[in-house]
Amino acid sequence: MAKRALITGVTGQDGSYLAELLLSKGYDVWGMVRRSSTENYERIEHLRDRMHFCQADLLDQSSLTQALVESEPEEVYNLAAQSFVPTSWTQPVLTAEFTAVGVTRLLEAVRQVNPAIRFYQASSSEMYGKVLEVPQSEATPFYPRSPYGVAKAYGHYITVNYRESYDMHCSSGILFNHESPRRGLEFVTRKVTDAVARIKLGLATELPMGNLDAKRDWGFAGDYVEAMWMMLQQDEGDDYVVATGETHTVERLVELAFAHVGLDWHDYVTLDQRFVRPAEVDLLIGDRTKAEAKLGWVPTVGFEQLVQMMVDADLERRRAA
């Protein structure tokens, strides 16, 4: 019989790539979706007829229990969250409810319905925040610098707590920034590649940006969901840093994206204080030694290739619009 998996946040970037991966492995894939007046299945439209869906909400305990009873999964991937860092300053309490307490609600539902379910929690490099060592490993202390980072740290530790308290198979992937053509337009990589496409096609004339000196470890989301799946195939749950181990500035991202369409970024980029964070995270770079040694995971898409892939996808999308 096919393995069953339930994915929360299935309509997001990672959810769509993970659903594709699990379907390719012969899984029976269930996606948990929130009831809303406008349903956005854009990223999984090409998969919809091959999946099952159940309605539930991380803010509602009984709906999570019901979703687990209905889908009967062997694996649960918790990718749902309020995941945009700037929004976490304007909606800090909501961010805590979804991104922190929501994890507890889901873990508790798993424990009550079937504690043998293997559980994956999407942790984040934003938990490191004001980094205390470079590069960051599983042993690096957390020092989050946003309500989002704080909420993710709670979600991470409650997952560890359920693993140790109830002997459940719970793993956390501490994922560093991962991007793709399916990334939301509000995220800096996609903001840049979409603007480059619009400028190239004469639909825009400038790109307002915040801190160009911030450094990030950017990888391809399609690679990172593979690591999630690998974690749940291990004998025991554990925590893993998933990263490329390379760091690039936002300025380098901008430079590469414009160069790919034959433009000089200096002619189009303006600095706008609105896009500077109240507390900046200056340098994130992950040490994936453990993931490589224990899971055999290595990234396959390099930074330059990733930026070019995203620019090409945005050019195609804008031309078709």
Side-chain angles (χ1 to χ4, degrees), residues 9 11 42 50 60 66 102 109 158-159 179 228 242 260 280:
T11 58
E42 186 188 344
R50 300 166 57 198
D60 185 80
Q66 188 53 44
I158 200 71
T159 302
E179 318 297 317
M228 299 176 186
V242 180
H260 187 54
E280 182 57 90

Side-chain angles (χ1 to χ4, degrees), residues 4-66:
R4 283 190 171 203
L6 173 66
I7 304 171
T8 77
V10 72
T11 58
Q13 167 188 257
D14 293 8
S16 68
Y17 281 109
L18 180 61
E20 271 177 0
L21 176 73
L22 296 179
L23 286 168
S24 76
K25 294 183 180 296
Y27 275 66
D28 203 357
V29 178
W30 285 71
M32 190 183 103
V33 289
R34 267 195 305 161
R35 170 79 187 92
S36 70
S37 53
T38 55
E39 292 181 332
N40 182 5
Y41 287 92
E42 186 188 344
R43 295 184 181 94
I44 51 169
E45 199 58 59
H46 61 301
L47 307 172
R48 273 181 82 167
D49 57 348
R50 300 166 57 198
M51 295 171 59
H52 313 276
F53 295 92
C54 53
Q55 282 193 349
D57 195 309
L58 285 178
L59 303 186
D60 185 80
Q61 182 85 39
S62 61
S63 70
L64 297 174
T65 301
Q66 188 53 44

Side-chain angles (χ1 to χ4, degrees), residues 21 120 175 222-232 240 242 291 295 297:
L21 176 73
Y120 171 83
L175 270 55
D223 285 340
Y224 285 43
V225 298
E226 191 103 28
M228 299 176 186
W229 174 78
M230 288 171 163
M231 288 176 212
L232 295 202
Y240 299 90
V242 180
L295 307 177
W297 181 83

Side-chain angles (χ1 to χ4, degrees), residues 22-165:
L22 296 179
L23 286 168
S24 76
K25 294 183 180 296
Y27 275 66
D28 203 357
V29 178
W30 285 71
M32 190 183 103
V33 289
R34 267 195 305 161
R35 170 79 187 92
S36 70
S37 53
T38 55
E39 292 181 332
N40 182 5
Y41 287 92
E42 186 188 344
R43 295 184 181 94
I44 51 169
E45 199 58 59
H46 61 301
L47 307 172
R48 273 181 82 167
D49 57 348
R50 300 166 57 198
M51 295 171 59
H52 313 276
F53 295 92
C54 53
Q55 282 193 349
D57 195 309
L58 285 178
L59 303 186
D60 185 80
Q61 182 85 39
S62 61
S63 70
L64 297 174
T65 301
Q66 188 53 44
L68 291 169
V69 169
E70 186 184 350
S71 58
E72 297 182 356
E74 289 146 89
E75 299 173 359
V76 168
Y77 295 86
N78 184 37
L79 310 185
Q82 188 300 100
S83 65
F84 188 45
V85 175
T87 299
S88 76
W89 272 288
T90 55
Q91 300 184 343
V93 177
L94 185 70
T95 299
E97 284 288 352
F98 273 117
T99 309
V101 186
V103 186
T104 317
R105 292 191 190 99
L106 187 54
L107 281 164
E108 188 56 21
V110 167
R111 186 178 76 84
Q112 291 178 356
V113 172
N114 176 10
I117 292 170
R118 296 187 171 200
F119 182 87
Y120 171 83
Q121 166 60 12
S123 286
S124 166
S125 59
E126 287 284 333
M127 300 186 304
Y128 295 120
K130 188 174 180 180
V131 299
L132 300 175
E133 64 179 11
V134 179
Q136 294 90 50
S137 74
E138 295 81 7
T140 304
F142 299 144
Y143 192 149
R145 296 266 280 174
S146 66
Y148 170 76
V150 172
K152 276 292 185 186
Y154 175 101
H156 178 84
Y157 279 127
I158 200 71
T159 302
V160 172
N161 193 262
Y162 269 69
R163 178 169 73 221
E164 295 177 352
S165 303

Side-chain angles (χ1 to χ4, degrees), residues 117-270:
I117 292 170
R118 296 187 171 200
F119 182 87
Y120 171 83
Q121 166 60 12
S123 286
S124 166
S125 59
E126 287 284 333
M127 300 186 304
Y128 295 120
K130 188 174 180 180
V131 299
L132 300 175
E133 64 179 11
V134 179
Q136 294 90 50
S137 74
E138 295 81 7
T140 304
F142 299 144
Y143 192 149
R145 296 266 280 174
S146 66
Y148 170 76
V150 172
K152 276 292 185 186
Y154 175 101
H156 178 84
Y157 279 127
I158 200 71
T159 302
V160 172
N161 193 262
Y162 269 69
R163 178 169 73 221
E164 295 177 352
S165 303
Y166 303 113
D167 198 27
M168 288 164 60
H169 193 300
C170 301
S171 290
S172 280
I174 306 172
L175 270 55
F176 280 66
N177 296 60
H178 45 290
E179 318 297 317
S180 75
R182 298 179 196 171
R183 190 57 141 152
L185 280 166
E186 68 272 25
F187 291 89
V188 69
T189 46
R190 187 68 198 293
K191 173 184 166 177
V192 169
T193 60
D194 179 64
V196 166
R198 285 184 294 120
I199 289 168
K200 181 66 178 175
L201 299 174
L203 304 170
T205 55
E206 65 170 22
L207 167 58
M209 293 290 290
N211 180 11
L212 293 179
D213 298 324
K215 293 176 178 156
R216 292 289 182 276
D217 182 329
W218 278 298
F220 172 52
D223 285 340
Y224 285 43
V225 298
E226 191 103 28
M228 299 176 186
W229 174 78
M230 288 171 163
M231 288 176 212
L232 295 202
Q233 311 318 306
Q234 304 304 304
D235 291 339
E236 293 178 349
D238 206 345
D239 307 324
Y240 299 90
V241 164
V242 180
T244 68
E246 287 180 16
T247 188
H248 303 275
T249 61
V250 174
E251 183 177 308
R252 178 70 178 141
L253 159 71
V254 169
E255 183 188 2
L256 281 173
F258 277 97
H260 187 54
V261 295
L263 298 175
D264 181 345
W265 70 272
H266 294 94
D267 297 336
Y268 304 97
V269 173
T270 57

